[in-house]
Amino acid sequence: MIDFVHSMLNLKKLSPAQKIAVSFLLVILTGALLLMLPISTKNGNFFSPLDALFISTSATCVTGLSTVTVADTFNTFGQFVILMLIQVGGLGLMTFMAVFVLIMRNRLSMNEKIVMKEMLNQSHVANMKRFLLDILYYTLFFESCGAVLIAFRMIPKYGLLDGGFKAIFLSVSAFCNAGFDTLGSISLQEYVHDPLMCFTIMTLIVLGGIGFAVWFDIRDKIRPLLDRKISFSKFKHSLTLHTKVVVVVSLLLIFIPALIIMLLEYNNPATMGEFNIFEKMMTATFESIALRTAGFSSINYGGLCQATDLLMMAVMFIGGSPGGTAGGIKTTTFAVIVIYMISVLKGREQAVMLKRTIRDGIVIRAMGIFFMNLLVLFTGILLLNVFENQPFLSLAFEAGSAMATVGASLGITASLGVAGKFIIILLMYIGRIGISTLILSLMKHKSSDINMKISYPNGNIIVG
């Protein structure tokens, strides 16, 4: 077994990007095969291969879109398969393989470290062993805490075994930003007035989507603050620029959309019009958090006004933060683009963020990620409108949800045809591994091209 895992991490013919793409594809196909078997379904019959592939992709890519109701279609074994797909997909198969190798031989080769650096969006390979083990430890810790809190609602209603499993499933799904549940067709709508459930799910989503590097940066530097050895201002100053940007942008993208959602839906009887002010604030915040990454819903999306749908699409496109379990173009990409645009308008030659100059290479990469994702999303929406006879907004919402691995839907997933399902499957896969990873995995890498440095004369183009 150790030799197999070692060979998977060290396939010399594959680039790191190709290893990541292949690892997710391997998990998806394995999951689809298991979900097809009669042992996974409640009726004991073979499950549709296309729907099995769809759900396996959605679970592995931590999206949450489903063509069937999980609780009504799959038995405990089938639900356990989906749970494992979510967990492996959330952290990545390569992460689990690397941890297994560490347990068996207590070290990673440089090639394995480079793969993990790409997988986890890290800038260096130093201390990769500790980083991986910390990821596993804190993931299990947060998911366990979430399961215990959710169990206070699940066990009294469903019993010890079934309720305990539902609590674990929900906790893992929320932390991995997957959006799957085993509660039935109405998801979390029956808990819309329950602060314990709502705030637990919200916390798990934020912890999973904020990025592992941010956790560890705050953890390593908060101890002197708690021991009163440094002031809060010094603590803030000691944090990395990445952590500061992620925290600030995440807070803005939680509370600003939440405020807009509450204002748009304040008097809507189909959503939160009958709620008291606290419930409206809680529900709006829940949807703002879930929409960027997770796809859980505590209200009926079919009753939302179109302005809210449009806002949700923009929020989904941004997504969570790098190095976590969330999708989208990422909060830092969005921040770099906004700061660069402001700098250009002010006539600055360089983008400056929190008194730090952002390198041109980072700005170019952020622009590339933004426009490549926009191009893929546009193509997906176009193809869906060609093959599916559904309202444009519903198809655009579905495509945006799949591309950002969110899992929210306006209720058309189950009615998609064969072509529509394949399009959504591709969008979910591209959204999870990342558009840049996909492109790099498809490119043939020639070492002779890397060292070629050719400089051409400057050219002038009039723009604007």
Side-chain angles (χ1 to χ4, degrees):
M1 180 64 181
I2 181 63
D3 292 334
F4 170 75
V5 175
H6 179 71
S7 63
M8 281 293 294
L9 286 167
N10 286 281
L11 293 174
K12 294 182 179 180
K13 293 183 179 181
L14 298 181
S15 67
Q18 289 172 331
K19 291 175 184 176
I20 293 170
V22 169
S23 69
F24 275 98
L25 187 60
L26 177 64
V27 175
I28 289 170
L29 295 176
T30 303
L33 180 61
L34 290 173
L35 292 176
M36 284 171 51
L37 300 177
I39 193 177
S40 297
T41 60
K42 282 191 172 181
N43 59 16
N45 297 327
F46 279 98
F47 189 55
S48 163
L50 179 57
D51 287 334
L53 179 64
F54 188 101
I55 295 171
S56 180
T57 305
S58 184
T60 306
C61 297
V62 291
T63 305
L65 292 173
S66 179
T67 56
V68 297
T69 302
V70 172
D72 298 336
T73 305
F74 297 104
N75 57 23
T76 303
F77 177 78
Q79 293 174 19
F80 180 77
V81 170
I82 294 174
L83 176 64
M84 290 297 99
L85 292 174
I86 292 170
Q87 187 71 88
V88 173
L91 299 184
L93 176 63
M94 304 302 284
T95 303
F96 284 97
M97 285 185 166
V99 170
F100 180 78
V101 170
L102 281 172
I103 293 173
M104 297 302 294
R105 56 180 169 86
N106 201 34
R107 67 181 179 85
L108 291 175
S109 67
M110 182 54 68
N111 191 6
E112 292 162 353
K113 289 180 179 180
I114 292 172
V115 174
M116 295 316 304
K117 179 179 79 71
E118 295 294 325
M119 178 75 201
L120 299 170
N121 289 314
Q122 296 301 296
S123 58
H124 52 78
V125 297
N127 297 321
M128 187 57 68
K129 173 183 174 181
R130 181 191 173 193
F131 191 78
L132 286 169
L133 293 176
D134 280 351
I135 287 175
L136 193 60
Y137 171 78
Y138 281 99
T139 296
L140 294 175
F141 174 75
F142 288 131
E143 288 177 350
S144 298
C145 292
V148 169
L149 292 174
I150 296 172
F152 282 104
R153 293 293 183 266
M154 296 294 109
I155 291 178
K157 183 174 182 179
Y158 297 100
L160 181 61
L161 293 179
D162 190 27
F165 179 75
K166 281 179 164 52
I168 294 171
F169 191 104
L170 261 179
S171 182
V172 172
S173 182
F175 181 81
C176 291
N177 288 206
F180 276 97
D181 65 76
T182 56
L183 303 179
S185 59
I186 60 173
S187 187
L188 296 175
Q189 293 178 33
E190 62 178 305
Y191 299 99
V192 65
H193 306 293
D194 189 338
L196 175 63
M197 283 289 290
C198 289
F199 282 107
T200 299
I201 297 295
M202 281 191 278
T203 302
L204 288 169
I205 294 171
V206 171
L207 288 172
I210 204 169
F212 304 119
V214 174
W215 294 355
F216 302 146
D217 186 37
I218 294 175
R219 176 204 63 185
D220 295 339
K221 295 169 181 176
I222 200 172
R223 184 168 296 175
L225 176 66
L226 298 177
D227 294 339
R228 298 183 179 180
K229 294 180 179 179
I230 60 173
S231 63
F232 184 72
S233 61
K234 288 185 177 180
F235 164 71
K236 289 194 300 180
H237 183 73
S238 67
L239 297 174
T240 64
L241 177 63
H242 174 80
T243 298
K244 294 175 184 176
V245 172
V246 167
V247 171
V248 171
V249 176
S250 295
L251 289 174
L252 290 175
L253 290 175
I254 288 173
F255 293 111
I256 292 177
L259 177 62
I260 298 175
I261 290 172
M262 187 174 73
L263 293 175
L264 291 173
E265 301 294 325
Y266 195 87
N267 293 317
N268 186 349
T271 54
M272 60 178 76
E274 305 300 322
F275 297 176
N276 61 43
I277 187 63
F278 172 77
E279 291 172 342
K280 289 179 179 180
M281 293 172 60
M282 181 175 68
T283 303
T285 305
F286 183 95
E287 297 305 330
S288 176
I289 290 173
L291 270 169
R292 279 199 303 119
T293 54
F296 287 109
S297 62
S298 59
I299 54 177
N300 179 16
Y301 281 5
L304 295 170
C305 64
Q306 291 189 351
T308 306
D309 293 335
L310 187 61
L311 170 67
M312 288 178 167
M313 289 177 62
V315 171
M316 289 191 296
F317 185 73
I318 297 171
S321 301
T325 57
I329 64 171
K330 304 297 188 290
T331 53
T332 48
T333 304
F334 175 72
V336 168
I337 292 173
V338 170
I339 293 298
Y340 177 73
M341 291 173 60
I342 294 173
S343 298
V344 169
L345 292 174
K346 289 183 176 181
R348 293 177 178 171
E349 294 185 356
Q350 292 180 309
V352 178
M353 184 184 297
L354 299 176
K355 298 182 179 180
R356 294 290 187 275
T357 300
I358 307 302
R359 290 186 289 108
D360 290 342
I362 295 176
V363 175
I364 293 171
R365 179 175 171 81
M367 291 287 187
I369 291 172
F370 176 82
F371 285 109
M372 284 189 294
N373 275 271
L374 197 62
L375 177 61
V376 172
L377 178 58
F378 174 81
T379 304
I381 294 173
L382 177 64
L383 291 174
L384 282 174
N385 278 273
V386 169
F387 292 105
E388 298 292 332
N389 185 23
Q390 299 280 359
F392 172 80
L393 184 60
S394 297
L395 291 173
F397 193 96
E398 196 85 3
S401 178
M403 181 73 183
T405 68
V406 174
S409 175
L410 297 183
I412 67 168
T413 309
S415 61
L416 291 174
V418 174
K421 289 177 182 178
F422 272 116
I423 293 168
I424 295 297
I425 287 171
L426 287 174
L427 288 174
M428 290 190 291
Y429 180 70
I430 294 170
R432 180 62 184 98
I433 68 172
I435 186 65
S436 56
T437 300
L438 178 66
I439 292 174
L440 288 173
S441 68
L442 296 176
M443 291 174 62
K444 289 186 177 180
H445 211 51
K446 294 183 179 180
S447 58
S448 58
D449 294 336
I450 299 174
N451 297 321
M452 291 177 64
K453 295 182 179 180
I454 301 175
S455 179
Y456 296 98
N458 292 330
N460 184 44
I461 300 175
I462 300 174
V463 296

